[in-house]
Amino acid sequence: MADEEDRIGKLKGKQTKRAPRYFDDSSAEASTKDKHENEKTSERKSEGKKKKSGKKRAPAPDSDHVDRKRGKEAWDSDEEKDPFPGEAPVKEETLARYTRGEENKIKIRAKTAGPKLERKAMEKKFHLAAKQAARAELLLGEDHGYLEPSDDEDTSQLSQTDIADAVDISAAQKHFDLKLDQFGPYRMNYTRNGRFLVMAGKRGHVAALDWMSKKLLCEINVMEGVHDVKWLHVETMFAVAQQRWTYIYDHQGVELHCLKKFNNVLKMEFLPYHFLLATASSTGFLQYLDVSLGKELVAINAKQGCLNVMTQNPQNAVVHLGHANGTVTLWSPNVKEPLAKLLSHVTAVRSIAIDKTGTYMATSGQDRYMKVFDIRALKPLQVYRMSAGAGHLAFSQTGLVAAALGNVVEVYKDCCSSVAEKPYLTHRLRNNISGLQFCPYEDVLGVGHQDGFTSLLIPGAGEANFDAFENNPYQTKKQRRDYEVKMLLEKIQPEMIGLDPGGVGQVSQLTAQEVEKRDQEAIQKKFEPAKKKKGRSKSLKTVQRTKGVEEEWRRMKVRQKMKEQEEQRKKKQKDQQKKEKWGSALDRFQRKDN
Amino acid sequence: MADDPVRALLQMNTDQTEEDDSALVLSDEEVESDSEGQHRNLLDAITSLDKKSRIKGKVIQRSEPSLQVSPFDISSGDNGGSRVHLNDLVGSLRNTNQFSKVKTQIRKMQGRQKVMEAPLVKPQAQRIERSLAYKAAKKEVSRWTPIVRQNRQAAQLVFPLHQEPVSLPTTDSMVKTFKPSTDLEREIFEVLHGSKFAERRDHELTEAEEEALRAMSLDEAFSRRKELQKMRALQSYYAAKCAREKKIKSKKYHRIKKRSRVQAEKLAIEELHKTNPELAQEEIRKAEKLHAEERASLRHRNTGKWARSKMVMAKFDDEARQAVQEQLDKSRELTNQIRALQQDSSSDEDQGEEEEEENGKDGEAVTMETVVDDDKNPWMKSALKINSKSNQKDDPPVQEEEQPKTDDNDDEKPEEETTEENGTTEQQSLKDNKESKEQKEVITAENVAKKKRRRRSKKKKEGENGAEEEKGDWSEVLKEEKKTGKKRKRRGKKTEVDAKKSRPDGDVMERGTDEAGEVQDFDDDETMLEEGLERRKTLEEVESAAKRPDTKTNSPQRPKADSPTNPSLQKQREIVKEVHINPDKFFTIQPSKLRSSVPTYLDVDDNIDMIDFDQQRENIEEAFANDDVVSEFVEEKRKAEEAGKPKDIDLFMPGWGNWGGVGVKVDPKKRTRFRKKAPPPKPRLDWGLHHVIINEDKDEKLKTHQVRQLPKGFGSVTEFERSIRAPLGKDWNTPSAVAKLTEPKVVTRAGTIIQPISGEETFKKGKAKKMDMEGMDEGGKTDRRNRGRRDNKK
């Protein structure tokens, strides 16, 4: 343990000399502009903390709000007429962003159309809600900026020291290097609120820390090879895929569970809304663990050999696996076959990344291509020829793509919907990269590699406006506990995972049709007497025969029904007996004294 | 009842005046001493008095005893006109001066004619009472209906219902009622309101500013006025000139004028090009936009009102025909210009492509549309694609593509084989058309004419050869180079293949834009594969392709590709499939190079060698792995499709109606006759996506959470699905919206007594208006309307 404590001492912010900046000689105006951008990189979201003046941009000058300067007139005019009557208008495109699906056009004919009236009122409420949500966009004052070069400059030429020097001290501290050269290469993972970091070296070193304050939560050596590490729903638990089995540790490094069913796991993904830990093993199995119940949900043999490329679609919780034959398969725990299969490369797929909206998927293969797909339509959008096949890909919350090419990290901007020609930022490391993830809500890219861990500043990578109900970077202990309970209460059942996340809201139309068909058949089914000879098919005889058969049918039905009822009654009786014997489950809450 | 007073009167008369009233007494005596003959005479006399019977000339004798019918034919009063009134009996008294006593009595009697009616029978009276009570009660109760309805339909009811509105004073109301009280306030108020420097609501300038403006010098004002006058005069001259010119009716004049204007504009642009290229560019862009708009519109097509009217006349009128032709020419010109331009550029691209292929590096996945500048315009693309195709390939491939189509037709209509020759000659002529590009348009016109002729002949033949026309249509479609599914739908009958491919139009559009490099759209997946096979790079392949269609045409009754009856052929095809698969179809987007940095490998001493080795390895991998992976994928997809298709049902029983047993050959016709054909499969979700296989099995587990049957009250599934489309929770909505969306139907205030609704409260005067809640729904509004109506009535 002494060794480990030594290592803690090496956690340090990178100290660098101030280098001459490209904007130092330019006009003051330019510098302030750049300053804005750079400061953005740093300390966005100092919501909970102090805020520097001038840093935060005033609420975006929204055209419809600019128009409404009614204040003065209202005060000094004698007339009561409002020059801008009614509520403030909402922009169409903003409204469209919050409008969900098509409206139900309801025609009301009768005055007393009760349910229809209600539904119509509901439509109006939906519209109202969308409008209000659009209006509330005004509150999202923060904007993730980017580095904006002038004509003769190139952002990809900027080094991390340049950026760290330009930003304020608290942001500069987010660029650091952890030199851990004994147990690498490192895999790493940030919590969903971006506050905590867990990293695991190939040779067994596992450490969890509050990376902003550099406060160590725990540091252990599992004395076994480690393939992957992932946080569970809160920062008190993380899963480590070790040489043989998967383990779950708490934030103090205490082993909580050993999952022997999850053996030889190479990659893991945690689906936070479903409380599912998905693992991909070298034996070719995709397994799901329900973390809230501690049960294995399903084990699927992907029949594609070793599974070492895995990612999840945050929008619909579908797991994407990459295979050696260049295909990407999409999986849900409910179907034993892939939901879809996509041929993306002619050689093995090396990594996959999906953006948070579930719109774009970037894949890289050994053929040195990086491809961007629209996964809603499963259509390719962009194909890039790279200097090397990207071993790791990552999407930031704002849509930047980071690629690890050997020992080089490159970040691309606007590479999905339009063609990017050059990287936005580049950083060269000493050794090969083994883990890559953008830190949520921070302009930071975490890179795990042979020599430890490097935190890079990527201006414009983090979402500037966070929803504290969803993910709160400034979460207190109490809030975390509340959040955990709330998450558990709102857990989504794994059956709802599918390509279309709105599948639950659909009527399973086929069954409805089937039911109808069955009913139809039941109505139509009638006995048709066969034709008989020698006067036995006279009308009276046929009628008699028909009646007899139908009567027999009816009896059969009644008998069946009676049987069912009898069974039900027996079951009820049994339950009653049980209840009498054991009492109700709720009885344990009754007061003992009465 | 009418008889009573008479009888009473007679009674009275006999009692009071026995001696005086001789006439009456006399009549009494007569009655007493009547004999049979006299009585008859009297009757006769009386009947003769009755006009009706006199006219009829006979007396109705009634034999049956009846109370109503009087034996004297005096009606009992029911037949109103013939009723005997008092006047009839004692009217003669009026002329005499005697009997004054009787007279006065009679007059008195006539005076008080109001006689109380006898009470109704009990049930009748009760019925009337009940109906009246019902009316009253209904009126009382129906006052409540609007209120009840409103309460039922209200989005929310807050109990107790009647609450005094509580309101806080708003700033507006405060401002309105504000009166300056202190000195300071008064002073400020005066400055704000009384001063001429204060801003005014309706005016742009303050009073003081206006004054300053007014205080201009006299000269200045004069000169300004003069200027204004001059301007006005010039304007009026120009307006007059324009009006005059506009009135000129000569078309020639206008044409010449327009031409000169266009010429002038052209010159101006050229001039501008020299002096100010940017502005010129702008102008050119404008012109292009105009051009585009022209193309987008149907202005110069033959669909307009004018054109149609002309076309009606065209048969008899050369001029009209010419006019239409001119217009069509113009439209063609407008639509063709850019295409021609693009064609050139695409051919350039072709050359470039060839060069690239020679290099052997980046030959993969180069398709036309991504290279073209104008790739943002999907419509342009499709046109371009065809052009590029026709450039790329010479005629044989074109023919080869058409041949299977005719085969399809033949399959369905073997009886129309005779017309097939016609069709092929059509194709031949079409081929010729393609060869001679200059004459293309002329021939198109010819074909149209041909088609018309054929149509006429068809009418004569009474639909004997419908296929011919179809083919004519089809060739025209080809010529028009619009190979969308929509067009194809126009082909007469829908074949099975057609059923497969007919998809929503949107999909067709998608196909047009997304399947880069796919010039011909595919009929179904099977042909899609064939398409893939027939796209050749080497000469031999092209040759072999040229041979293949021949074999097809030789056997018109070629069985379907997927029919299991011909396994050897199928196998053969599969082999062919595996050999030629063009990965271009799977990776349709042209790769763009990223200026990414090359990684360095510090672990290895000789980096450079390492890189070289790595690259080499990757290159080799690329070269070899490619086809294998793709063909595997194609095979997998094919299998998935096969598995998804509904199967034919074979109901054939060996030995049925025939000799059976070992060595007995079964008639294949019989075998096919008992095969129940499966319905055409549904279009797959991954239709048209060559690189994707989508699993189409339903998610059984999801079903447990889904609604099984359409809930009551919903008209359709979409209606229901839409009704639950929006989230209600606070994660997606603002707090007020959540409150609104989830508001309960009934709210009760804690600690308050909820009294039953009372009329006094509700119908208090002026209360109705207060009752109005802010109605969000239709129901609220209708109620308000109702209440208004009710108030008006009051």
Side-chain angles (χ1 to χ4, degrees):
Chain A
M1 286 309 271
D3 280 6
E4 267 115 52
E5 263 154 44
D6 277 353
R7 217 169 298 115
I8 306 161
K10 285 172 190 166
L11 299 165
K12 59 180 180 197
K14 200 164 185 173
Q15 299 300 313
T16 44
K17 249 192 341 187
R18 183 183 162 76
R21 300 283 293 113
Y22 61 91
F23 54 76
D24 277 352
D25 52 348
S26 61
S27 69
E29 192 192 325
S31 74
T32 49
K33 183 197 159 205
D34 282 353
K35 199 174 165 207
H36 171 78
E37 296 302 335
N38 287 318
E39 276 169 347
K40 187 65 241 20
T41 63
S42 58
E43 255 319 86
R44 40 123 201 154
K45 343 122 210 204
S46 29
E47 251 86 324
K49 301 177 177 180
K50 61 168 184 174
K51 220 158 269 179
K52 284 184 184 172
S53 62
K55 186 172 87 176
K56 194 167 176 182
R57 197 184 279 174
D62 210 319
S63 67
D64 27 66
H65 292 287
V66 168
D67 291 345
R68 308 179 61 225
K69 40 174 186 181
R70 42 157 95 155
K72 201 175 106 195
E73 273 113 334
W75 276 98
D76 65 1
S77 71
D78 299 330
E79 287 177 15
E80 286 118 55
K81 216 178 133 194
D82 187 356
F84 305 103
E87 52 188 2
V90 184
K91 273 185 186 172
E92 281 294 321
E93 61 259 35
T94 325
L95 188 62
R97 224 176 300 142
Y98 293 96
T99 309
R100 310 187 191 243
E102 222 170 301
E103 195 186 331
N104 239 346
K105 298 263 184 303
I106 295 162
K107 279 178 195 163
I108 290 174
R109 292 193 187 84
K111 266 185 205 166
T112 47
K116 267 196 174 179
L117 263 178
E118 249 167 59
R119 245 178 285 149
K120 191 157 190 181
M122 211 58 195
E123 283 296 332
K124 283 200 170 167
K125 282 180 193 173
F126 288 160
H127 185 67
L128 187 90
K131 232 172 163 180
Q132 285 194 357
R135 285 226 175 83
E137 220 178 46
L138 189 73
L139 301 173
L140 307 178
E142 298 285 354
D143 182 27
H144 60 83
Y146 288 114
L147 289 176
E148 278 177 17
S150 50
D151 292 338
D152 53 341
E153 283 166 347
D154 187 0
T155 47
S156 61
Q157 301 297 319
L158 283 178
S159 72
Q160 280 296 307
T161 36
D162 292 339
I163 295 169
D165 287 344
V167 298
D168 63 327
I169 189 160
S170 58
Q173 273 177 352
K174 285 172 187 167
H175 169 55
F176 59 90
D177 231 339
L178 300 182
K179 196 159 181 295
L180 306 158
D181 51 1
Q182 293 175 44
F183 298 98
Y186 276 85
R187 298 276 306 161
M188 35 73 63
N189 186 228
Y190 288 106
T191 48
R192 285 181 70 224
N193 59 11
R195 191 75 197 174
F196 296 91
L197 172 74
V198 63
M199 46 191 194
K202 185 87 192 162
R203 298 193 181 94
H205 173 224
V206 177
L209 61 151
D210 180 346
W211 68 273
M212 275 194 242
S213 63
K214 317 284 188 305
K215 205 182 114 200
L216 197 63
L217 297 179
C218 73
E219 189 176 38
I220 50 172
N221 198 321
V222 296
M223 306 305 282
E224 201 179 14
V226 172
H227 291 299
D228 200 4
V229 65
K230 272 271 139 67
W231 284 109
L232 298 189
H233 54 284
V234 281
E235 61 264 21
T236 52
M237 277 188 275
F238 58 87
V240 181
Q242 294 181 18
Q243 190 67 37
R244 283 191 74 183
W245 300 315
T246 306
Y247 291 80
I248 290 176
Y249 297 93
D250 78 348
H251 64 295
Q252 289 168 320
V254 179
E255 181 189 317
L256 298 177
H257 302 287
C258 169
L259 311 167
K260 291 194 177 173
K261 272 190 177 174
F262 293 73
N263 57 334
N264 300 75
V265 170
L266 296 181
K267 285 279 150 66
M268 296 191 290
E269 279 295 333
F270 184 69
L271 315 177
Y273 298 104
H274 304 79
F275 283 85
L276 292 180
L277 182 73
T279 63
S281 69
S282 62
T283 54
F285 275 88
L286 169 68
Q287 283 166 292
Y288 285 86
L289 173 78
D290 192 325
V291 173
S292 62
L293 303 175
K295 268 187 195 163
E296 186 196 37
L297 185 70
V298 69
I300 302 166
N301 188 355
K303 294 170 194 161
Q304 294 274 9
C306 177
L307 304 174
N308 56 359
V309 181
M310 180 192 208
T311 193
Q312 65 162 304
N313 183 345
Q315 195 225 0
N316 54 13
V318 166
V319 166
H320 292 222
L321 297 175
H323 305 291
N325 61 358
T327 54
V328 174
T329 47
L330 280 61
W331 297 87
S332 96
N334 309 319
V335 188
K336 295 263 178 178
E337 298 292 319
L339 298 176
K341 200 169 198 179
L342 187 111
L343 183 66
S344 65
H345 296 271
V346 289
T347 56
V349 178
R350 289 195 67 189
S351 75
I352 311 170
I354 298 171
D355 84 319
K356 70 163 183 180
T357 60
T359 312
Y360 302 116
M361 172 175 77
T363 64
S364 71
Q366 275 176 356
D367 53 3
R368 292 191 290 154
Y369 282 117
M370 181 174 87
K371 300 191 180 183
V372 181
F373 290 85
D374 180 348
I375 24 176
R376 296 166 303 178
L378 295 165
K379 277 176 187 163
L381 295 175
Q382 309 292 345
V383 178
Y384 294 106
R385 180 81 167 170
M386 322 259 280
S387 59
H392 297 272
L393 290 174
F395 260 103
S396 86
Q397 285 174 319
T398 53
L400 299 178
V401 177
L405 314 169
N407 64 336
V408 182
V409 186
E410 294 205 327
V411 180
Y412 310 110
K413 205 177 99 180
D414 302 332
C415 69
C416 297
S417 50
S418 56
V419 180
E421 284 169 349
K422 58 183 184 191
Y424 172 56
L425 282 173
T426 320
H427 184 76
R428 195 174 284 268
L429 292 148
R430 279 196 72 243
N431 276 310
N432 269 6
I433 292 157
S434 53
L436 199 64
Q437 195 193 354
F438 279 99
C439 180
Y441 307 104
E442 291 289 344
D443 289 341
V444 163
L445 172 67
V447 183
H449 47 85
Q450 180 74 46
D451 285 345
F453 172 81
T454 307
S455 175
L456 303 175
L457 291 180
I458 311 293
E463 173 65 54
N465 302 293
F466 66 84
D467 177 359
F469 288 119
E470 180 70 15
N471 282 315
N472 187 359
Y474 306 107
Q475 207 169 38
T476 61
K477 199 175 186 180
K478 192 163 182 300
Q479 280 172 335
R480 189 194 70 213
R481 286 171 175 166
D482 288 349
Y483 172 75
E484 191 177 0
V485 172
K486 193 183 142 243
M487 287 274 284
L488 278 164
L489 287 173
E490 291 178 355
K491 178 192 163 188
I492 305 173
Q493 290 306 313
E495 289 88 51
M496 298 185 192
I497 298 176
L499 282 181
D500 178 12
V504 203
Q506 288 167 357
V507 179
S508 58
Q509 289 188 50
L510 196 71
T511 33
Q513 279 171 3
E514 279 167 359
V515 165
E516 199 184 353
K517 202 178 163 191
R518 201 184 54 203
D519 292 350
Q520 211 73 34
E521 272 172 8
I523 293 165
Q524 283 171 355
K525 201 178 176 188
K526 266 185 181 168
F527 178 71
E528 277 176 26
K531 200 100 176 154
K532 290 190 174 179
K533 282 180 179 174
K534 294 183 182 169
R536 284 184 296 167
S537 239
K538 280 178 185 166
S539 57
L540 178 66
K541 286 278 170 194
T542 48
V543 167
Q544 278 175 344
R545 228 183 309 148
T546 313
K547 273 193 172 173
V549 171
E550 280 177 356
E551 179 63 27
E552 188 51 42
W553 283 359
R554 219 168 292 136
R555 273 161 188 274
M556 233 157 66
K557 258 186 198 169
V558 170
R559 236 175 276 144
Q560 207 175 343
K561 207 171 182 182
M562 272 168 71
K563 203 178 163 189
E564 275 170 20
Q565 277 174 352
E566 180 65 18
E567 271 172 17
Q568 231 164 22
R569 196 182 57 79
K570 269 184 186 169
K571 204 186 163 216
K572 220 174 177 180
Q573 211 173 4
K574 221 176 174 182
D575 286 349
Q576 191 65 32
Q577 278 172 0
K578 251 188 194 172
K579 206 177 172 186
E580 273 167 23
K581 197 177 177 188
W582 301 107
S584 155
L586 296 173
D587 283 349
R588 70 190 69 175
F589 298 112
Q590 257 180 2
R591 283 203 177 160
K592 296 284 181 288
D593 45 272
N594 37 312
Chain B
M1 284 207 295
D3 302 356
D4 290 346
V6 178
R7 209 175 296 148
L9 170 72
L10 290 176
Q11 193 79 36
M12 257 189 317
N13 285 346
T14 47
D15 291 346
Q16 285 174 1
T17 58
E18 276 179 13
E19 297 121 70
D20 308 283
D21 303 347
S22 56
L24 286 172
V25 173
L26 213 158
S27 68
D28 272 0
E29 282 171 6
E30 265 180 27
V31 171
E32 279 166 28
S33 64
D34 64 341
S35 66
E36 283 297 312
Q38 278 171 331
H39 182 62
R40 197 171 294 120
N41 285 343
L42 180 64
L43 279 178
D44 284 343
I46 291 167
T47 40
S48 68
L49 283 174
D50 193 349
K51 280 179 185 173
K52 267 188 192 167
S53 51
R54 200 166 51 204
I55 289 161
K56 279 176 188 171
K58 62 172 178 182
V59 181
I60 299 159
Q61 292 285 337
R62 297 190 63 141
S63 55
E64 73 264 37
S66 166
L67 280 172
Q68 266 86 36
V69 180
S70 117
F72 310 111
D73 202 16
I74 297 168
S75 76
S76 59
D78 282 344
N79 38 351
S82 59
R83 190 183 255 196
V84 179
H85 290 285
L86 189 61
N87 278 350
D88 299 336
L89 300 176
V90 290
S92 53
L93 284 179
R94 209 177 285 165
N95 302 330
T96 59
N97 295 329
Q98 298 166 331
F99 310 118
S100 59
K101 228 180 187 178
V102 178
K103 267 176 172 173
T104 46
Q105 268 178 350
I106 287 170
R107 208 179 300 129
K108 267 182 195 170
M109 228 162 53
Q110 273 174 337
R112 50 177 155 90
Q113 251 182 350
K114 273 185 188 167
V115 183
M116 191 172 176
E117 296 206 3
L120 278 175
V121 247
K122 206 178 176 187
Q124 217 173 346
Q126 276 178 344
R127 194 179 301 140
I128 290 164
E129 265 170 32
R130 275 202 305 273
S131 78
L132 284 175
Y134 169 73
K135 261 183 196 166
K138 192 185 171 191
K139 199 183 170 192
E140 177 64 28
V141 170
S142 62
R143 292 168 83 201
W144 290 96
T145 41
I147 289 152
V148 169
R149 196 194 298 146
Q150 186 201 4
N151 285 353
R152 275 189 191 153
Q153 292 175 349
Q156 190 177 42
L157 283 179
V158 182
F159 289 106
L161 276 173
H162 302 292
Q163 286 165 359
E164 289 305 314
V166 181
S167 64
L168 289 167
T170 60
T171 38
D172 275 350
S173 64
M174 293 278 280
V175 168
K176 272 175 222 161
T177 55
F178 176 73
K179 282 210 176 81
S181 52
T182 63
D183 282 348
L184 181 67
E185 277 175 0
R186 222 165 284 138
E187 213 169 297
I188 290 171
F189 190 81
E190 260 164 34
V191 169
L192 284 176
H193 293 269
S195 153
K196 60 182 180 180
F197 290 98
E199 279 184 19
R200 290 179 302 173
R201 201 169 195 13
D202 310 330
H203 299 267
E204 205 176 336
L205 304 172
T206 61
E207 226 169 285
E209 281 168 338
E210 264 179 10
E211 265 173 28
L213 268 184
R214 253 180 261 135
M216 264 193 294
S217 74
L218 196 64
D219 285 351
E220 226 175 303
F222 267 127
S223 66
R224 177 141 180 74
R225 204 180 65 176
K226 239 181 187 176
E227 214 173 283
L228 276 172
Q229 277 171 340
K230 194 185 172 190
M231 285 302 292
R232 232 168 270 145
L234 281 174
Q235 210 172 356
S236 69
Y237 296 156
Y238 184 70
K241 192 188 168 196
C242 285
R244 204 168 54 241
E245 277 179 356
K246 205 182 164 192
K247 264 188 185 168
I248 296 172
K249 280 180 181 163
S250 161
K251 280 182 183 169
K252 199 175 178 185
Y253 166 79
H254 280 292
R255 206 178 299 142
I256 290 166
K257 201 182 160 200
K258 193 183 173 188
R259 204 176 294 156
S260 66
R261 201 192 70 215
V262 168
Q263 202 66 30
E265 271 175 9
K266 247 184 205 171
L267 278 175
I269 285 175
E270 270 171 27
E271 196 80 347
L272 211 60
H273 205 67
K274 283 169 196 163
T275 55
N276 192 353
E278 274 179 31
L279 211 66
Q281 208 62 35
E282 194 68 27
E283 288 294 319
I284 286 168
R285 214 165 292 141
K286 260 184 211 166
E288 269 174 7
K289 199 189 168 194
L290 258 179
H291 180 251
E293 273 168 4
E294 179 75 49
R295 285 180 54 233
S297 73
L298 291 170
R299 237 188 110 191
H300 292 104
R301 310 284 154 85
N302 52 4
T303 50
K305 200 176 170 188
W306 174 84
R308 266 186 282 156
S309 70
K310 283 284 167 197
M311 276 195 328
V312 170
M313 296 297 294
K315 215 178 202 176
F316 317 103
D317 190 358
D318 275 349
E319 267 183 32
R321 198 181 307 153
Q322 209 168 348
V324 172
Q325 195 54 43
E326 262 176 34
Q327 173 146 336
L328 285 176
D329 282 346
K330 186 159 192 187
S331 93
R332 207 163 291 136
E333 187 188 315
L334 283 167
T335 45
N336 275 358
Q337 240 170 11
I338 286 183
R339 204 186 282 178
L341 250 171
Q342 301 275 359
Q343 211 165 314
D344 291 347
S345 70
S346 67
S347 67
D348 286 352
E349 295 293 346
D350 275 6
Q351 283 176 4
E353 196 187 334
E354 278 164 20
E355 278 165 22
E356 273 190 339
E357 275 179 35
E358 276 169 13
N359 289 339
K361 272 242 168 184
D362 283 306
E364 184 188 296
V366 179
T367 48
M368 294 319 300
E369 54 181 46
T370 44
V371 203
V372 179
D373 310 349
D374 199 3
D375 57 351
K376 275 167 197 157
N377 186 349
W379 287 275
M380 207 49 231
K381 242 184 249 175
S382 62
L384 180 65
K385 267 187 262 168
I386 282 121
N387 277 331
S388 63
K389 169 98 180 182
S390 59
N391 269 8
Q392 264 182 344
K393 294 183 180 179
D394 286 329
D395 295 324
V398 174
Q399 194 196 1
E400 150 209 318
E401 251 131 36
E402 287 155 14
Q403 224 66 36
K405 299 272 151 60
T406 59
D407 283 357
D408 277 355
N409 282 345
D410 291 344
D411 279 353
E412 295 133 26
K413 305 164 199 125
E415 74 273 12
E416 286 169 6
E417 271 175 28
T418 46
T419 61
E420 196 213 35
E421 277 189 5
N422 249 336
T424 44
T425 49
E426 268 294 319
Q427 309 285 355
Q428 202 65 34
S429 74
L430 164 69
K431 207 172 84 181
D432 292 346
N433 289 354
K434 291 236 164 181
E435 278 172 358
S436 55
K437 277 194 175 175
E438 289 88 3
Q439 293 176 5
K440 195 168 153 191
E441 254 119 59
V442 183
I443 292 165
T444 318
E446 265 180 31
N447 266 324
V448 172
K450 257 190 203 170
K451 198 182 129 194
K452 274 187 181 170
R453 243 176 285 141
R454 227 181 296 130
R455 209 170 263 166
R456 249 173 270 143
S457 66
K458 190 199 158 198
K459 268 181 192 170
K460 282 174 198 165
K461 285 180 185 175
E462 275 293 317
E464 206 179 53
N465 48 358
E468 204 178 41
E469 202 206 59
E470 279 172 24
K471 272 167 201 163
D473 246 339
W474 179 230
S475 64
E476 211 175 60
V477 169
L478 271 176
K479 237 165 280 157
E480 283 169 9
E481 303 181 336
K482 283 182 182 173
K483 293 211 142 194
T484 56
K486 213 177 178 181
K487 279 264 171 184
R488 232 177 295 142
K489 267 187 205 168
R490 261 177 30 182
R491 285 197 298 158
K493 289 172 194 171
K494 267 200 177 181
T495 65
E496 191 189 311
V497 177
D498 275 31
K500 275 184 211 164
K501 82 197 166 199
S502 62
R503 302 201 108 212
D505 294 352
D507 277 15
V508 173
M509 281 311 301
E510 269 181 11
R511 253 192 300 156
T513 54
D514 290 330
E515 275 180 46
E518 306 296 330
V519 180
Q520 302 285 331
D521 280 332
F522 307 113
D523 280 356
D524 64 347
D525 300 345
E526 195 60 38
T527 46
M528 217 187 294
L529 286 176
E530 282 178 9
E531 194 63 30
L533 305 180
E534 281 159 13
R535 190 179 251 251
R536 278 147 205 102
K537 278 181 179 171
T538 62
L539 248 175
E540 303 131 47
E541 281 166 359
V542 172
E543 271 173 19
S544 68
K547 279 173 198 164
R548 271 186 60 186
D550 290 348
T551 58
K552 278 181 196 169
T553 43
N554 285 346
S555 57
Q557 287 211 336
R558 185 174 58 91
K560 291 241 156 186
D562 48 347
S563 67
T565 48
N566 208 341
S568 64
L569 205 137
Q570 203 188 355
K571 209 177 270 176
Q572 205 181 334
R573 287 163 134 257
E574 269 172 35
I575 291 163
V576 175
K577 257 175 231 158
E578 276 167 24
V579 176
H580 318 272
I581 282 153
N582 195 341
D584 288 8
K585 231 165 50 185
F586 296 85
F587 308 113
T588 48
I589 292 181
Q590 196 209 16
S592 45
K593 275 200 173 174
L594 255 176
R595 276 195 272 139
S596 53
S597 31
V598 182
T600 47
Y601 296 87
L602 293 180
D603 296 349
V604 190
D605 296 329
D606 43 355
N607 314 336
I608 302 152
D609 283 4
M610 176 68 188
I611 289 164
D612 279 351
F613 170 74
D614 193 45
Q615 271 187 345
Q616 209 177 354
R617 187 179 56 79
E618 277 181 353
N619 284 343
I620 289 165
E621 221 168 25
E622 269 170 50
F624 286 97
N626 198 340
D627 277 357
D628 184 31
V629 168
V630 174
S631 59
E632 236 171 58
F633 190 83
V634 167
E635 182 59 22
E636 200 178 336
K637 180 157 182 169
R638 194 187 61 75
K639 274 182 184 164
E641 277 163 8
E642 282 295 311
K645 269 182 196 163
K647 304 271 182 309
D648 289 358
I649 301 165
D650 198 358
L651 297 170
F652 177 73
M653 284 162 75
W656 183 258
N658 246 0
W659 286 109
V662 185
V664 176
K665 268 194 181 175
V666 180
D667 189 7
K669 259 190 192 173
K670 206 157 227 175
R671 204 173 243 291
T672 46
R673 213 196 301 158
F674 284 103
R675 178 171 293 125
K676 213 175 181 183
K677 267 207 168 179
K682 273 186 190 172
R684 279 181 69 83
L685 289 171
D686 51 18
W687 190 89
L689 295 168
H690 303 291
H691 61 286
V692 177
I693 305 169
I694 295 175
N695 187 355
E696 294 196 330
D697 298 339
K698 278 269 180 295
D699 188 346
E700 289 297 325
K701 283 186 180 168
L702 182 63
K703 271 188 186 174
T704 55
H705 293 285
Q706 280 174 333
V707 177
R708 286 296 173 104
Q709 275 168 324
L710 193 62
K712 205 180 165 191
F714 288 96
S716 68
V717 171
T718 34
E719 197 184 335
F720 168 69
E721 283 175 2
R722 278 178 187 174
S723 76
I724 55 167
R725 72 185 188 277
L728 311 179
K730 68 180 165 66
D731 293 328
W732 299 274
N733 293 306
T734 56
S736 62
V738 173
K740 200 99 201 171
L741 284 165
T742 59
E743 68 182 1
K745 193 109 177 81
V746 172
V747 175
T748 51
R749 283 271 158 77
T752 50
I753 301 164
I754 300 169
Q755 301 284 7
I757 193 163
S758 74
E760 264 176 56
E761 271 290 299
T762 319
F763 303 114
K764 227 188 260 173
K765 219 178 182 187
K767 186 78 186 169
K769 269 177 196 170
K770 268 185 198 170
M771 272 272 295
D772 262 5
M773 283 182 279
E774 48 156 31
M776 252 187 94
D777 52 351
E778 194 68 32
K781 275 176 198 165
T782 54
D783 282 342
R784 223 171 299 146
R785 244 180 283 135
N786 288 342
R787 206 178 302 123
R789 226 175 283 148
R790 201 182 59 230
D791 288 348
N792 288 342
K793 272 179 199 169
K794 278 178 187 174

